[in-house]
Structure formats: C-alpha cells, structure tokens
Amino acid sequence: MPPHPAIEFSFVVPFFNEEGCARSVVEELVPALDACGLAWECLLVDDGSTDQTATELARAAAGQSRCRVIRLPVNCGQGAALLAGFQAAQGRIIGMMDGDGQNVPGDLPALLALLDRADLVVGVRAGRHDSALRRACSRIANGVRRRLLRDQVNDAGCALKVFRREVMAAFFPVNMLNPFIPAFAAAAGFRIAETDIRHRPRTTGRSKYGLGVILWRPMCDMLSLWWLLRRRIPVERLPPPTEK
C-alpha cells in the first residue's frame, strides 16, 4: 500500500494463538504509541490462530480507529504475517514487535530517537527472560550470522525494530524474516543502529519456536542468504542515473 501523508508511523504486531495476552498487548501499546508524538496506525495481524486470538484482537481494536486487524485465513508463519502488515502499512516509518507480551512498548521512543542517524534500529534484549536453551541457541545463531552475513547486529532475533519505509525494498519474502531484516538492510547499504531494551518473561501461552525453528532452520536459511546477498546490487543506495 502506498504511504499516506497523514500517517507518520505504522506499527505491525503478528499474533498466533495468543488469546491470553492479545488484548492486554494492544491496551498497553496504544498509549505507548501516543507517547511517541507521531501520527500512527497499528496493524494487528492474526496469523490464522486456532484459539480466540482473532476475537480478542477485534475487541481490543473496536474502540481504536487507528488499529486495524488483518486476519490470515491459515497459519502462514511469522514472516508471512509481518509481510502482510508491512504491505498494508501507510506510514513513512515502520515499527514491529512480537504479540506475546515480552516486548515493552514503552521502549519505542528510544528506538525512534536513533532514526536521525540510522535507517533501521534494532533492539537488544537486556536481561533476556528466556530459557537457557533458547539463549544458548540465540548466541550461536547470532555469532554465525554476524560472521556470514556481516550485519554487525548483536540480537537480530529481537522483534522490536523500527525502520524507514524505504528499507522494506531490501527485504526478501522468507519464512524467517525477522532475524534477517538487519542482513537485508546492511546488504542494501542502509545504516543500522542498536539500543538496549527491556524484555519480560512470558506469562501466558507458550513459545511457538522449538529448537528446529530457532537454530537449525535459520542456519539453513542463512547459508542460502549468504550466497544470495553476496551477489546483491545495493540499488536502493545508488545515485540516480543522469543523461548527457
């Protein structure tokens, strides 16, 4: 969808079977978006949930004209849900976070403040509240990814990110989109910044990502993207051609 001049900030949140926290996430997010001082919209993407997530999102958005619910008919994965939200976004700045309640919307102003010197700002989860296995897998994946894809990001898997709209042109439609957003942006020549954010323990539901998703699948995707990105022309950052 083309940008809308009246919307400055589009915020995308994917949900899958998060009926226990979906409504509270939206209720916390709305005042946090207000506090950013930008004209905003919020895109709540239900990724084909099989519980009452869609109902909870509809109730949460009912009194909020700036919140829109996008429902995918079947579960397509987080990458597809994010892309659906990005494609519907109308703001010049795009933001995103997980719908599981572990991200803190109050950290958004700190990320937005860095867009004066960066095109993409990535949160770094300080004091991360995940299992020891998930933290270990994340450290391995981050280390290998930084070496292969050269994005120089410490916590690419953190879902709290903000970026300028033009960065979307660098994305490839892959299932594991979130952790590779910095690599896509870096390969296209966009500037990246990081800042520490808070991270909360999950209080409802359960993680949708087992060992195969958080380690082995990203590793396989990473090798494919390494080959592809090495051959990518950063056309988004090239100067426009001139005629003589």
Side-chain angles (χ1 to χ4, degrees), residues 81-103:
L82 286 171
L83 285 173
F86 296 159
Q87 290 165 2
Q90 301 177 81
R92 61 180 177 83
I93 297 171
I94 314 294
M96 54 180 279
M97 75 174 193
D98 277 339
D100 59 11
Q102 291 190 266
N103 294 135

Side-chain angles (χ1 to χ4, degrees), residues 10-163:
S10 296
F11 201 73
V12 178
V13 190
F15 295 84
F16 176 61
N17 287 353
E18 298 289 0
E19 63 181 4
C21 66
R23 194 167 182 177
S24 62
V25 165
V26 178
E27 290 173 347
E28 181 184 13
L29 182 56
V30 167
L33 289 170
D34 282 336
C36 292
L38 300 171
W40 60 268
E41 65 173 351
C42 186
L43 304 160
L44 310 169
V45 185
D46 175 36
D47 184 21
S49 295
T50 56
D51 61 1
Q52 296 301 308
T53 296
T55 300
E56 291 300 310
L57 290 177
R59 289 173 178 166
Q64 301 290 340
S65 61
R66 292 172 292 178
C67 292
R68 289 188 282 153
V69 179
I70 299 173
R71 179 160 171 76
L72 303 186
V74 295
N75 177 237
C76 299
Q78 188 194 59
L82 286 171
L83 285 173
F86 296 159
Q87 290 165 2
Q90 301 177 81
R92 61 180 177 83
I93 297 171
I94 314 294
M96 54 180 279
M97 75 174 193
D98 277 339
D100 59 11
Q102 291 190 266
N103 294 135
V104 180
D107 289 330
L108 277 172
L111 275 71
L112 290 168
L114 294 178
L115 284 178
D116 61 349
R117 61 179 178 86
D119 304 299
L120 165 69
V121 183
V122 181
V124 179
R125 291 167 287 188
R128 185 173 172 182
H129 290 277
D130 281 324
S131 68
L133 176 61
R134 286 179 63 84
R135 294 197 302 270
C137 290
S138 182
R139 283 195 299 271
I140 294 170
N142 276 313
V144 176
R145 192 206 64 259
R146 281 197 304 270
R147 187 174 182 85
L148 281 182
L149 303 186
R150 302 176 183 177
D151 60 22
Q152 302 305 311
V153 171
N154 292 297
D155 190 10
C158 177
L160 192 59
K161 297 179 172 74
V162 297
F163 50 87

